[in-house]
């Protein structure tokens, strides 16, 4: 696992480290402790001037165009360096579609002529920020929460869990509450649906809402709620966010659906799928990352939910675990995995493991663990990686 002795062995210019999330892209230089920018993952379409989410692509050509404009924006508005001079480290999710990574490589090599490209899995490099080799990585981003256990440096891939229980769901539920009469409080301040756009809902969520405790959530109808907040829309109109809305906004992540799935059950289900002798160590090494993990009260609520669920009939016999412990990563939740990429990018791994421009132009192929050619045949794998 992490070999810190090799940090900064490379004497060349620092590599560019990019993590493209479904809403936010983190971008900066290897060896630095925070990204230079965290920007919306949106590209401006030149003809219409309209901004489009990168992940909303229709086909390969559409994606190629979006990435072309977006990478230009990152290099020439934020990084201010020439793409040709530097290596690139891409922090990617293991669930990233092959089409996306291949198109990104095409844009970076063909159009921007970067020196080399290294794809690193976000859950593994997050562990580099801790110097640990065992953890259950829980990434709560915008579209989904992904749980992946890593034991002694090896990903327990069969145990991964992913569900759309993250920022987007919280915002959707919050918008519903704001629209409902009882949620919006006094009717004079009741806004029209179109006046609350996505950005406003996100702002209300981050600035006024929090994750309540398990005890309070169980009697949410009876308790005295915190005071309401007046949120200003365009300076003159106000929208009243009442205490109950503020306190119950994140409940959708913890309420079990018809399949009895919530964020805490995802963690326990992932542990259940891991080998028996690894479960205790994994439960005592939980790493919670992603923007949604930064919500006030999230970690303490998760801990009490886990302690409560472990005694429920579904888990009590199968998972005899006593304690759960969380790691404290050295960065804000939303860029822990980017920081891991920045650490890897400052080691000699970026030289020895990267795919260089020349090799890519010859092979026209990107090494991928899901491709059997790179998993089975040592010689083939060796041929693609070295050079
Ligand atoms: N301080 C905060 N409190 C609560 N939520 C936050 C905070 N900061 C960011 N978020 C939320 O985190 C989400 C974005 O997180 P992140 O940057 O990890 O997502 P992403 O990587 O773009 O998405 P994904 O991982 O799903 O592809 C947004 O929904 C945002 O509103
Ligand atoms: Mg993410």
């Amino acid at each position: 696992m992490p070999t810190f002795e090799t940090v900064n062995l490379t004497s060349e210019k620092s590599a560019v480290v990019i993590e493209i999330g479904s809403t936010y892209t983190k971008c900066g230089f290897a060896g630095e402790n925070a990204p230079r920018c965290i920007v919306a993952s949106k590209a401006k379409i030149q003809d219409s001037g309209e901004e489009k989410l990168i992940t909303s692509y229709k086909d390969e050509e559409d994606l190629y165009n979006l990435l072309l404009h977006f990478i230009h924006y990152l290099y020439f508005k934020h990084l201010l360096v020439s793409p040709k001079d530097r290596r690139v480290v891409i922090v990617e999710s293991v669930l990233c579609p092959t089409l996306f990574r291949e198109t990104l490589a095409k844009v970076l090599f063909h159009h921007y002529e970067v020196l080399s490209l290294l794809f690193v899995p976000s859950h593994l490099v997050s562990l580099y920020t801790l110097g640990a080799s065992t953890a259950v990585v829980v990434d709560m981003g915008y579209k989904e929460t992904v749980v992946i256990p890593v034991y002694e440096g090896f990903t327990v891939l069969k145990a991964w869990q992913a569900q759309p229980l993250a920022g987007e769901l919280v915002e959707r539920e919050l918008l519903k509450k704001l629209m409902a009469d009882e949620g919006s409080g006094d009717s004079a301040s009741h806004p029209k649906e179109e006046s609350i756009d996505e950005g406003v809902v996100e702002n209300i969520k981050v600035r006024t809402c929090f994750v309540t405790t398990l005890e309070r959530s169980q009697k949410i109808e009876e308790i005295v709620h915190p005071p309401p907040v007046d949120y200003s829309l365009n300076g003159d109109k106000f929208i009243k966010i009442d205490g109950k809305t503020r306190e119950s906004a994140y409940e959708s992540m913890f309420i079990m659906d018809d399949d009895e799935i919530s964020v805490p059950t995802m963690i326990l289900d992932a542990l259940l799928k891991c080998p028996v002798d690894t479960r205790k160590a994994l439960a005592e090494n939980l790493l919670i990352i992603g923007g949604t993990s930064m919500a006030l009260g999230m970690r303490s609520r998760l801990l009490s939910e886990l302690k409560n669920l472990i005694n429920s009939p579904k888990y009590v016999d199968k998972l005899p675990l006593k304690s759960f412990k969380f790691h404290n990563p050295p960065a804000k939740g939303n860029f822990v995995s980017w920081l891991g990429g920045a650490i890897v990018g400052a080691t000699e791994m970026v030289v020895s493991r990267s795919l260089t421009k020349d090799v890519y132009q010859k092979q026209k192929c990107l090494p991928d663990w899901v491709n059997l050619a790179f998993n089975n045949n040592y010689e083939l794998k060796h041929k693609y990686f070295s050079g």
Side-chain angles (χ1 to χ4, degrees):
M1 276 304 289
T3 45
F4 293 112
E5 308 86 65
T6 57
V7 169
N8 277 335
L9 260 190
T10 55
S11 55
E12 55 187 55
K13 289 177 182 165
S14 354
V16 166
V17 183
I18 306 175
E19 180 182 7
I20 304 180
S22 53
T23 39
Y24 289 106
T25 292
K26 300 88 188 168
C27 183
F29 295 105
E32 297 193 355
N33 63 1
R36 291 281 175 103
C37 65
I38 298 183
V39 292
S41 303
K42 285 180 178 167
K44 210 173 227 166
I45 311 298
Q46 266 181 341
D47 308 335
S48 57
E50 168 208 2
E51 283 202 326
K52 223 174 135 188
L53 266 179
I54 306 285
T55 45
S56 66
Y57 60 91
K58 289 196 288 285
D59 49 27
E60 190 179 341
E61 198 189 328
D62 190 25
L63 178 60
Y64 187 92
N65 274 327
L66 287 170
L67 286 172
L68 197 75
H69 290 118
F70 187 58
I71 299 290
H72 186 275
Y73 166 71
L74 292 181
Y75 272 96
F76 298 104
K77 277 265 161 47
H78 293 282
L79 298 174
L80 307 177
V81 293
S82 163
K84 287 184 186 176
D85 292 348
R86 294 177 191 251
R87 295 175 182 276
V88 176
V89 176
I90 302 287
V91 180
E92 62 162 0
S93 157
V94 272
L95 307 179
C96 179
T98 305
L99 176 73
F100 189 90
R101 64 203 303 274
E102 285 184 348
T103 313
L104 181 59
K106 213 187 268 179
V107 171
L108 288 168
F109 278 130
H110 286 177
H111 194 89
Y112 292 102
E113 299 181 7
V114 298
L115 285 181
S116 73
L117 198 53
L118 175 64
F119 284 94
V120 290
S122 59
H123 66 283
L124 271 185
V125 292
S126 300
L127 294 195
Y128 277 61
T129 63
L130 305 171
S133 55
T134 296
V136 179
V137 184
V138 183
D139 185 352
M140 300 175 169
Y142 177 71
K143 283 264 173 225
E144 54 192 7
T145 292
V146 181
V147 180
I148 303 180
V150 179
Y151 189 74
E152 293 298 344
F154 289 94
T155 306
V156 189
L157 203 57
K158 66 169 185 176
W160 70 275
Q161 310 279 320
Q163 292 292 335
L165 301 171
E168 189 182 32
L169 174 74
V170 175
E171 284 171 27
R172 220 176 29 233
E173 294 294 318
L174 183 60
L175 183 62
K176 264 193 229 160
K177 284 192 183 122
L178 293 175
M179 285 304 118
D181 277 339
E182 66 274 17
S184 60
D186 120 42
S187 59
S189 64
H190 193 293
K192 283 204 172 66
E193 185 151 357
E194 60 269 25
S195 65
I196 307 188
D197 72 13
E198 265 176 48
V200 172
V201 180
E202 181 180 1
N203 210 8
I204 292 176
K205 177 189 78 174
V206 174
R207 284 167 182 254
T208 70
C209 300
F210 59 93
V211 187
T212 191
T213 61
L214 177 61
E215 298 77 53
R216 283 179 69 85
S217 75
Q218 283 165 344
K219 40 189 178 187
I220 200 96
E221 300 298 331
E222 301 142 35
I223 51 173
V224 179
H225 295 289
V229 173
D230 280 333
Y231 181 88
S232 147
L233 296 168
N234 312 328
D236 52 349
K237 275 193 231 151
F238 283 89
I239 165 172
K240 192 173 242 124
I241 324 290
D242 69 20
K244 189 175 168 199
T245 306
R246 292 177 59 204
E247 194 166 357
S248 57
Y250 285 88
E251 287 312 295
S252 45
M253 293 178 70
F254 298 97
I255 295 171
M256 287 194 224
D257 60 10
D258 295 342
D259 298 324
E260 301 213 325
I261 294 174
S262 66
V263 174
T265 66
M266 286 170 69
I267 300 176
L268 295 179
D269 290 343
L271 287 173
L272 265 179
K273 288 195 176 159
C274 291
V276 179
D277 55 345
T278 65
R279 291 178 191 166
K280 184 171 181 289
L282 287 168
E284 291 183 351
N285 285 284
L286 300 176
L287 174 61
I288 316 291
I289 61 170
T292 303
S293 74
M294 289 155 72
L296 214 63
M298 181 61 85
R299 277 198 351 190
S300 72
R301 173 69 181 274
L302 260 184
L303 186 62
S304 35
E305 288 273 354
L306 288 170
K307 283 185 176 162
N308 186 44
L309 274 171
I310 205 75
N311 295 318
S312 69
K314 189 174 169 198
Y315 297 103
V316 72
D317 296 327
K318 295 187 219 154
L319 265 183
L321 294 171
K322 294 224 163 34
S323 70
F324 294 94
K325 291 180 190 159
F326 291 98
H327 276 285
N328 255 335
K332 297 266 187 213
N334 59 343
F335 66 87
V336 174
S337 42
W338 178 90
L339 185 62
I343 294 173
V344 171
T347 65
E348 59 79 40
M349 244 164 92
V350 82
V351 180
S352 61
R353 300 258 185 111
S354 289
L355 176 72
T356 61
K357 188 167 60 186
D358 299 340
V359 175
Y360 178 77
Q361 274 162 357
K362 254 188 254 154
Q363 317 288 4
K364 299 260 179 285
C365 178
L366 209 58
D368 192 351
W369 64 268
V370 293
N371 184 340
L372 283 182
F374 300 98
N375 268 334
N376 282 347
N377 189 324
Y378 174 79
E379 274 174 27
L380 241 169
K381 187 169 151 189
H382 195 69
K383 187 171 124 198
Y384 282 109
F385 275 111
S386 59

